[in-house]
Amino acid sequence: GGAKVMDMNKQAMINRFKIGQRVQVIQMTEKGDAKHYKQSKANGIIVGVYEHFVVVYNGRYRESFSWVDIAIGRVSIKAVKAA
């Protein structure tokens, strides 16, 4: 069923991330009551990978992102090559 597919996808997502990895987080945030989306980007380092979410530290604070938000595209987390 669909839940099994989600579990497989989640495991694949979990496996993509490693603690200490540099990433760029791109979030789509709704602006106002109309369906306008604002894109915000932030660079950070992964500090936690858990069953239901990943935690990114952006130099000021830690922020957690659920696998569901990543799966549906509300949040995109991409690895950044070290400069």
Side-chain angles (χ1 to χ4, degrees):
K4 187 168 251 159
V5 171
M6 179 59 203
D7 283 346
M8 281 166 43
N9 289 348
K10 187 169 80 172
Q11 198 55 53
M13 283 190 283
I14 290 171
N15 292 342
R16 270 176 44 209
F17 298 116
K18 305 273 180 283
I19 303 233
Q21 186 177 26
R22 294 183 151 289
V23 292
Q24 180 181 61
V25 178
I26 302 167
Q27 282 186 84
M28 302 302 284
T29 49
E30 288 182 40
K31 223 176 119 212
D33 43 9
K35 284 287 173 200
H36 286 293
Y37 287 94
K38 186 170 77 58
Q39 204 181 58
S40 66
K41 293 184 181 180
N43 287 346
I45 295 174
I46 291 185
V47 294
V49 180
Y50 301 97
E51 189 184 348
H52 298 291
F53 57 92
V54 60
V55 181
V56 177
Y57 177 65
N58 67 11
R60 294 191 307 278
Y61 53 86
R62 292 164 185 248
E63 203 169 351
S64 61
F65 302 98
S66 76
W67 299 121
V68 172
D69 280 347
I70 295 168
I72 65 175
R74 187 175 292 153
V75 177
S76 172
I77 299 182
K78 298 189 168 97
V80 175
K81 302 237 183 329

